[in-house]
Amino acid sequence: MYHCLDTSQFDRRLLEEISELADAARFISKSKEGADWLSGLLSHKRAMLYFVQPSTRTYLSFLSACQILGMQTADVRDTSTSSEVKGETELDTVRTFSSYYDAIIMRHYKANFAREIADMLDKTNRPVPVINGGAGKDQHPTQALLDIYTLRKSFEQRGGIDHKKIAFVGDLMRGRTARSLSRLLTRFENVKQYFVAPDFLQIDSGVLSVLDRLGISYELVDDIHKVLPEVDAVYLTRLQDEWDDQDKTAGHYFIENYALTMENVGLLRQHAVIMHPLPRRQEISYEVDSDPRAVYWRQVRNGMWARVALLAKIFGVEQEIKQV
Ligand code: NCD
């Protein structure tokens, strides 16, 4: 593991390893002595957080993960404060970061930009790892990692992720989290995926052709009520209307038909889990937060530890954590 660019890099063994590393680091951090030890592990490394698309959780979660491992950080979150306004290309801007920092963690509105950056840096005499913290409508590999980590913990007493049924609900056409998690779920045995969305927001054929090629079973559904009683996990997503054309409005969509409320949450099985990458709008009513099946706030916390594990792996200190 050098760059972390997309979900195709993660096979099952690596997913298990990252989850176990996350658990180990989390356990070590419980004592002051352990937390101090963790913060010495990467105190010789510094990271650049280049997040030019809005972010709360992913940005803070990477920042916290760096802090836990003792890495110092800097950030650019707004290109209006960078030399890009003087006409510098984004490639040159990022190459500048690589002159100062040991890793570039980035979120960008262009789908392929993290890979472009990685390819460009690989040809320089100072390549550094690039970590994709969300790329356009396409990939969000570290969200998928934390989602797998959360599912694994949720199903610990129920045989793990294998043989489970998982429904994605909402704006699946433009949501990179559903696409990314769908791919990682193919690493497990016999997991059935449901895609619940109105036709015009349904998951694209690229994702489905991967599932077809791998012989994974899935269903396209337009009614949330049909899948709630069937599944082990429901993964809600918000309307991604930042991608709308100018003349469309959010009111155009019937997102209320793709929400979990006090009226329909009772349809879920007793052991099912409720997930959401957040931010949410109306897809999950606030009353649902106190339902024991709701794990979306746990996902937030798990994300920090999954990113600690990923950074430890990228910088080659995973054995030290495992040996404690
Ligand atoms: C998601 C994202 O940015 O893709 N948020 C996140 O990273 N947790 C989901 C979203 O914005 O809807």
Side-chain angles (χ1 to χ4, degrees), residues 35-166:
D36 288 345
W37 178 81
L38 277 175
S39 70
L41 272 183
L42 291 177
S43 54
H44 56 307
K45 298 287 181 194
R46 284 171 298 116
M48 177 52 155
L49 297 161
Y50 179 53
F51 273 62
V52 296
Q53 219 192 3
S55 176
T56 302
R57 269 152 292 267
T58 307
Y59 170 80
L60 286 176
S61 156
F62 268 116
L63 181 66
S64 311
C66 288
Q67 288 166 344
I68 288 168
L69 291 165
M71 296 176 77
Q72 295 191 55
T73 59
D75 63 46
V76 167
R77 301 199 62 181
D78 178 359
T79 51
S80 71
T81 65
S82 93
S83 280
E84 284 178 37
V85 289
K86 300 181 190 168
E88 184 170 59
T89 63
E90 290 165 317
L91 283 177
D92 279 358
T93 300
V94 182
R95 186 158 178 182
T96 309
F97 302 155
S98 76
S99 310
Y100 302 132
Y101 293 94
D102 304 298
I104 295 169
I105 304 170
M106 57 179 286
R107 167 170 288 193
H108 205 275
Y109 55 89
K110 281 195 224 156
N112 277 323
F113 196 53
R115 182 168 294 283
E116 251 181 75
I117 296 286
D119 290 346
M120 181 269 291
L121 292 178
D122 284 346
K123 294 186 201 112
T124 70
N125 55 11
R126 202 185 132 72
V128 298
V130 175
I131 302 175
N132 180 357
K137 295 175 227 172
D138 190 35
Q139 282 278 330
H140 195 348
T142 64
Q143 177 70 40
L145 273 185
L146 78 88
D147 292 337
I148 290 291
Y149 179 45
T150 303
L151 283 165
R152 196 173 178 269
K153 288 177 99 58
S154 303
F155 298 143
E156 214 158 29
Q157 309 300 325
R158 295 180 53 225
I161 299 176
D162 295 328
H163 311 292
K164 297 294 183 291
K165 295 178 178 173
I166 299 186

Side-chain angles (χ1 to χ4, degrees), residues 1-11 14 115 130 132 141 183-184 187:
M1 170 68 54
Y2 184 67
H3 301 300
C4 170
L5 301 174
D6 65 63
T7 43
S8 64
Q9 291 175 262
F10 294 93
D11 59 17
L14 188 53
R115 182 168 294 283
V130 175
N132 180 357
R183 184 63 195 264
L184 288 194
R187 306 299 194 217

Side-chain angles (χ1 to χ4, degrees), residues 297-312:
W297 291 106
R298 273 186 237 166
Q299 280 172 269
V300 177
R301 182 86 181 156
N302 289 343
M304 180 175 79
W305 292 110
R307 289 172 174 121
V308 165
L310 180 72
L311 288 167

Side-chain angles (χ1 to χ4, degrees), residues 54 57-58 107 133 140 143 176-177 238 240 242 277-279:
R57 269 152 292 267
T58 307
R107 167 170 288 193
H140 195 348
Q143 177 70 40
R176 56 195 173 197
T177 58
R238 74 176 167 90
Q240 309 275 317
E242 65 269 39
L278 302 177

